[in-house]
Amino acid sequence: MRTVDLIQKKRDGGELSREELAFLIQGYTSGRIPDYQLSAWAMAVYFRGMSARETADLTLEMAASGDTVDLHSIAGVKVDKHSTGGVGDTVSLVLAPLVAAAGVPVAKMSGRGLGHTGGTIDKLEAISGFKVELTQEQFVDQVNRHGVAIIGQSGNITPADKKLYGLRDVTATVNSIPLIASSIMSKKIASGADAIVLDVKTGSGAFMKTLDDSIALAQAMVAIGTEVGRETVAVISSMDQPLGVAVGNALEVRLAVETLKGHGPADLEELCRTLGSHMLVLGGKALDTEEAREMLSELIAKGYALKKFKEFVACQGGSPSFIDQYSLLPTAKHVVAVEAPVAGYVAAIEAEGIGVSAMLLGAGRETKEAAIDLAAGLLLRRKIGDRVEAGEPLVELHTNRTDPKLLDEVKRRVLEAYRITDTPVEPPQLILAVVTKDGVERVG
């Protein structure tokens, strides 16, 4: 078997077999196939696409390229959740204890963030003493005993995906739906989930900017899950403004607690209920999503979800005291208001601009080596549809940085991200579609 023949086959629209894909992925991961040949293959995929079977086989090869997690000794159906990424995406911190409180085991491996804010693991490290590293035995035991654990992703999960993504990033082949879908799903499959719920973001602050592209990506991932025997559901949610009101690690932990107390922002609560309802159905705890939503609402109202969160934090070495005393979380020395220049209604908030502003304050990483300021971030005091008077705060900057030029730049970026009009505006629809193996259901 020769690499050049497989490049030519894909270039001419052919479908590669499992053995041919194994030859490519194993050869590239081991260093036998050079970058320039695999980049040619990736470009051929970019233009020619892949079949559902082909994409599933590629996913399985990437999942098998490194360590895989065996969760069979955990009782029940293990349902994992994945988001394609957004600004203010606090969902996992709420959803994991909430779903666990309903009896669905959550054994989640998460990564660190590169960009606007830290990832779920960085956010959890804002909690004093919280351990993000457990042995496999400790991980499984905690889920069996308490229903939930979240740990850092192993350094050897899907090494083929890491290497291939780095190549795609510098060869203009990132935006290929089969390659994006196999990248995401390979990590979920290697992590041992029985079923998967995907939160596919769409809009100005998302990787996929249009609803049609987001649905196409969701369909590709659901097809992979179906091909490899994993029940998979994808929810398409809007990222035309930041989710919730907090962008920053400790700030998002605080917001997660407020949401588990029943005081969260409406959009964050709604997304958690929607994703959580599908997790409960896949986990066999509810007959349909309506029943599941009622269960989730009751778990929050009666305090069971918050109790599970406290239990989860304590089990991984953290001190739950911050839940009743937020000052125990990392707290910025300075809070700076960004005031509305005119009166009116917030008509748009460009999510990416808000995310970059948070990163400039230290809430995220520009490079893998950069340190995160866990206290830094933004609180959004006005969102789309809200009325604001001139001089009232749109956003609060929480920062330990005092450089006037930096703060002026952040203020400028925040104001550029906001658009204020004279006429009332309706908040954007949050849930836009649900994709299952049976098809696409558009909402609204």
Side-chain angles (χ1 to χ4, degrees):
M1 199 177 294
R2 297 194 311 160
T3 305
V4 65
D5 296 329
L6 303 184
I7 296 170
Q8 181 177 336
K9 184 176 180 179
K10 178 47 63 180
R11 181 200 68 188
D12 295 341
E15 186 174 344
L16 300 185
S17 69
R18 175 71 182 268
E19 291 73 25
E20 289 168 331
L21 288 165
F23 175 84
L24 285 173
I25 296 304
Q26 292 171 20
Y28 182 56
T29 306
S30 67
R32 295 193 308 272
I33 296 177
D35 280 354
Y36 61 83
Q37 284 193 305
L38 209 76
S39 63
W41 170 79
M43 188 62 76
V45 170
Y46 181 88
F47 284 111
R48 289 293 192 171
M50 301 179 86
S51 69
R53 193 276 309 160
E54 201 177 8
T55 308
D57 284 347
L58 173 63
T59 303
L60 288 173
E61 283 303 321
M62 293 202 296
S65 68
D67 295 338
T68 56
V69 181
D70 184 356
L71 301 179
H72 286 99
S73 57
I74 297 175
V77 179
K78 282 72 68 180
V79 185
D80 201 355
K81 166 260 173 191
H82 176 81
S83 167
T84 58
V87 181
D89 194 351
T90 314
V91 171
S92 290
L93 298 178
V94 178
L95 206 54
L98 176 57
V99 170
V104 175
V106 178
K108 187 167 182 59
M109 300 180 72
S110 293
R112 297 188 180 277
L114 181 61
H116 310 135
T117 62
T120 299
I121 291 301
D122 298 297
K123 293 167 189 175
L124 288 170
E125 286 187 332
I127 301 170
S128 177
F130 193 96
K131 297 175 183 176
V132 298
E133 294 181 2
L134 300 175
T135 66
Q136 179 72 11
E137 293 75 17
Q138 290 171 328
F139 181 55
V140 168
D141 181 65
Q142 181 173 316
V143 178
N144 272 327
R145 287 174 177 270
H146 304 285
V148 57
I150 302 179
I151 60 172
Q153 186 172 292
S154 161
N156 201 39
I157 291 282
T158 61
D161 174 59
K162 293 183 179 72
K163 193 171 182 182
L164 178 57
Y165 187 88
L167 184 69
R168 290 164 54 210
D169 195 33
V170 295
T171 57
T173 53
V174 167
N175 198 21
S176 161
I177 284 177
L179 297 180
I180 296 169
S182 59
S183 173
I184 292 170
M185 292 297 286
S186 65
K187 291 189 281 288
K188 296 293 103 181
I189 291 165
S191 298
D194 298 319
I196 303 163
V197 173
L198 301 161
D199 178 15
V200 180
K201 305 293 190 185
T202 191
S204 64
F207 183 71
M208 308 303 282
K209 303 297 183 185
T210 70
L211 180 57
D212 286 345
D213 283 348
S214 300
I215 288 175
L217 175 59
Q219 288 176 307
M221 291 191 288
V222 169
I224 291 170
T226 303
E227 286 278 341
V228 304
R230 306 293 205 280
E231 285 285 334
T232 306
V233 173
V235 173
I236 314 295
S237 66
S238 173
M239 188 43 67
D240 276 332
Q241 67 173 335
L243 181 66
V245 297
V247 184
N249 300 280
L251 295 175
E252 290 186 45
V253 171
R254 189 173 78 179
L255 184 64
V257 173
E258 283 296 298
T259 304
L260 289 167
K261 289 178 178 178
H263 309 311
D267 57 350
L268 178 58
E269 287 187 345
E270 173 59 18
L271 185 55
C272 289
R273 278 195 296 266
T274 300
L275 296 170
S277 65
H278 288 288
M279 293 177 76
L280 263 59
V281 172
L282 293 181
K285 297 299 180 182
L287 294 176
D288 55 41
T289 55
E290 283 305 312
E291 179 188 6
R293 288 173 72 91
E294 291 177 9
M295 291 172 62
L296 296 171
S297 295
E298 186 175 354
L299 288 167
I300 291 175
K302 292 187 174 180
Y304 296 132
L306 184 64
K307 181 180 178 182
K308 181 60 69 174
F309 182 76
K310 290 180 179 179
E311 183 182 340
F312 157 62
V313 168
C315 285
Q316 290 192 223
S319 171
S321 302
F322 77 91
I323 291 171
D324 299 309
Q325 192 176 347
Y326 294 139
S327 62
L328 296 176
L329 289 169
T331 303
K333 294 178 182 177
H334 308 287
V335 178
V336 180
V338 180
E339 298 173 349
V342 295
Y345 299 87
V346 177
I349 306 174
E350 205 276 308
E352 190 171 351
I354 295 297
V356 171
S357 298
M359 185 179 66
L360 290 172
L361 294 177
R365 296 182 179 92
E366 289 190 72
T367 65
K368 290 181 180 179
E369 298 76 25
I372 281 182
D373 181 348
L374 294 170
L378 289 76
L379 284 180
L380 279 61
R381 293 306 185 190
R382 296 291 190 279
K383 295 193 66 178
I384 295 177
D386 290 343
R387 171 77 187 179
V388 64
E389 301 299 329
E392 288 184 340
L394 288 172
V395 171
E396 287 179 2
L397 311 181
H398 288 242
T399 181
N400 290 312
R401 299 185 175 180
T402 56
D403 181 355
K405 290 184 179 179
L406 172 66
L407 294 178
D408 285 345
E409 181 183 356
V410 172
K411 288 181 181 179
R412 176 183 62 78
R413 286 179 179 270
V414 168
L415 290 174
E416 286 178 353
Y418 271 77
R419 183 162 61 87
I420 299 173
T421 61
D422 294 332
T423 55
V425 176
E426 288 294 320
Q429 183 175 323
L430 179 64
I431 308 298
L432 301 172
V434 177
V435 180
T436 68
K437 64 184 178 183
D438 298 320
V440 179
E441 180 185 350
R442 295 189 184 234
V443 179

